[in-house]
Amino acid sequence: MKIHYTNNQTFKKVNLIPLLETEEAIIFDDINLSKSIFSGKKDSLYTLEKDEHLFLFIGLGKDQNYKAIKTALRRISAKQVSHFKNEAKLFLSTELSDDMIEAIISGLWLGTYQLGHYKKDKKQHPFETDEFVLEINSYLDNTHAIERGIKIANAQLETFHLVDLPPNKITPKHLADWAVEAGKKYGFAVEVFGNKKSKEIGLDAFYSVGKGSANESQFIIMEYKPVDSKKHIGLVGKGITFDTGGLNIKTAGMVHMKCDMAGAAAVLGAMQLIADLKLPYHVTAIVPACENSVDANSFLPSDVIGSYSGYSIEIIDTDAEGRLILADGLSYLIKNYNPETVIDIATLTGSSVATLGNECGALFTNNESLSKQLQQSGDEIGERLWQLPLWDAYKSDIESDIADVKNYSGKPVAGAISAAKFLEFFTDNHPSWAHIDVAGVTFIDDEFAKTKHASAFGVHLITNFIENQ
């Protein structure tokens, strides 16, 4: 898709007119719409055909909700696709802020995504063709917001693909190769450790989880360090490319376990976006990527394994594996890079889904300033977080008789909290660490597909948080 800018009011065949809700009649050129016909109410759409031109009046509501605006335009792009042939014209009124324009552009581009990756008759969205022209009509210079919207959507589209593609495609090696190629394209350094190197340097918890798989584990380290960079942020994303549960094999829901690397995908997408936007911040990100499989070499319930931190871990449940690879990721990041703030993001527990449903991620931190910053950054773009406690009263859930710590409490309650307490144990009392459990918000049911699919939750949240530093 090519984008052209103009303030010429000549109409193309398809005209997109997103409007805020108003109490007054809408006058657009010689078209008059009374309030009873169209007022710009949220999620409303009024279609008018006139003189061989199609006009789509898109209601954005009155509260200027970033996520709602983005979704509304994605809906147009995805569900009105038959209207788009070779060109369209987008009219941006002076009432729209830069954030709203960013959401509009991002939504339109996200609407090109289709789940049928392997369908023989899959059709390309018109926006994806080189011939299609989107002409943007505005009396103001909205170039910056438009370019940001495209970059945000591009990073989220990459994340969609990483999470939605099947596990025989998205292996640990695929994630490592993706990181290497993205680093070359966008400008960040990448280093990858395989099984041999991981074992040599003491990433024992990480190595133990993946040793039962035919697909070699990959410990991926990315570093974006622009000249005169500001605050140093560290990220860790859980990269279980498929989770059988290990020898504590899952008895339900295994078909969806290709999404167990959605935390890793969010970190990978965020690294692309951070570098693409050329943010002036030093960011180091680690993605421990492996497959939790069942084999003669798989680690066992009741095993005691080591970790990069030097602490021993009693394995109560091999299906509590995500926290093991995160423990080594956090320890390695803090010991070798010492970032000022550390954030890990993971599809970690069903407990977080039971508590918060599909509306928001669970946030854990003992740093109240960090908590407020993360929640505000999420609220601004519609990726909400809710803080749960990290009280020491829950510390007994991870105490082990035989080892320094155990990976699962064995209790059917407070699972998300005890998992967070386990991760906290490996942060070396870092003063600015947060854990985000996104099990309920990264692989969702919504209007854009008939089956569960990726949401890219976390990509924009992490980036927005860093921008707000």
Side-chain angles (χ1 to χ4, degrees), residues 177-350:
D177 291 344
W178 187 97
V180 169
E181 291 305 311
K184 291 176 183 176
K185 182 176 180 180
Y186 295 99
F188 55 87
V190 180
E191 185 176 13
V192 181
F193 302 154
N195 282 341
K196 183 179 179 181
K197 179 71 171 179
S198 296
K199 195 171 183 180
E200 283 177 359
I201 65 175
L203 293 165
D204 293 335
F206 167 71
Y207 174 79
S208 294
V209 172
K211 69 179 184 177
S213 174
N215 291 306
E216 184 177 4
S217 300
Q218 308 281 295
F219 195 83
I220 306 163
I221 306 165
M222 297 164 282
E223 187 170 20
Y224 170 72
K225 192 174 184 180
V227 177
D228 298 325
S229 55
K230 300 180 182 179
K231 187 174 181 179
H232 185 189
I233 310 294
L235 307 173
V236 183
K238 174 186 170 184
I240 299 292
T241 57
F242 193 79
D243 182 19
T244 65
L247 291 176
N248 290 109
I249 197 163
K250 291 181 182 294
T251 56
M254 200 191 299
V255 70
H256 294 144
M257 284 301 103
K258 67 178 183 179
C259 79
D260 212 16
M261 42 65 69
V267 168
L268 292 167
M271 285 299 288
Q272 172 180 317
L273 183 54
I274 290 161
D276 199 14
L277 292 173
K278 295 180 171 55
L279 300 188
Y281 293 89
H282 181 190
V283 182
T284 304
I286 290 180
V287 168
C290 56
E291 189 177 80
N292 187 21
S293 194
V294 180
D295 183 83
N297 294 320
S298 297
F299 71 132
L300 309 174
S302 79
D303 272 356
V304 174
I305 64 174
S307 69
Y308 188 78
S309 67
Y311 291 111
S312 58
I313 305 170
E314 180 186 7
I315 303 302
I316 302 299
D317 192 330
T318 62
D319 197 20
E321 85 298 330
R323 65 200 70 182
L324 298 175
I325 67 171
L326 289 172
D328 271 1
L330 286 166
S331 295
Y332 189 91
L333 175 69
I334 292 167
K335 180 178 179 180
N336 295 284
Y337 293 92
N338 193 29
E340 295 163 67
T341 291
V342 176
I343 300 167
D344 75 75
I345 182 167
T347 51
L348 206 60
T349 67

Side-chain angles (χ1 to χ4, degrees), residues 66 99 102 144 148 152 230-231 233 273-274 276-281 283 373 377 380-381 459-469:
Y66 186 100
D99 284 346
E102 175 186 293
H144 179 67
R148 277 182 56 88
I152 291 166
K230 300 180 182 179
K231 187 174 181 179
I233 310 294
L273 183 54
I274 290 161
D276 199 14
L277 292 173
K278 295 180 171 55
L279 300 188
Y281 293 89
V283 182
Q373 289 177 61
S377 296
E380 288 172 357
I381 48 93
V459 174
H460 198 181
L461 166 64
I462 291 168
T463 307
N464 196 41
F465 166 77
I466 292 173
E467 283 188 293
N468 287 339
Q469 295 301 295

Side-chain angles (χ1 to χ4, degrees), residues 11-47:
F11 296 146
K12 301 293 182 182
K13 288 188 177 181
V14 181
N15 304 278
L16 307 176
I17 307 104
L19 295 170
L20 295 171
E21 188 171 353
T22 178
E23 297 294 325
E24 301 177 358
I26 293 171
I27 301 174
F28 182 80
D29 193 56
D30 60 348
I31 298 172
N32 292 280
L33 301 178
S34 68
K35 183 183 177 182
S36 61
I37 294 176
F38 180 83
S39 65
K41 188 177 179 180
K42 178 184 173 183
D43 293 334
S44 63
L45 174 67
Y46 183 72
T47 304

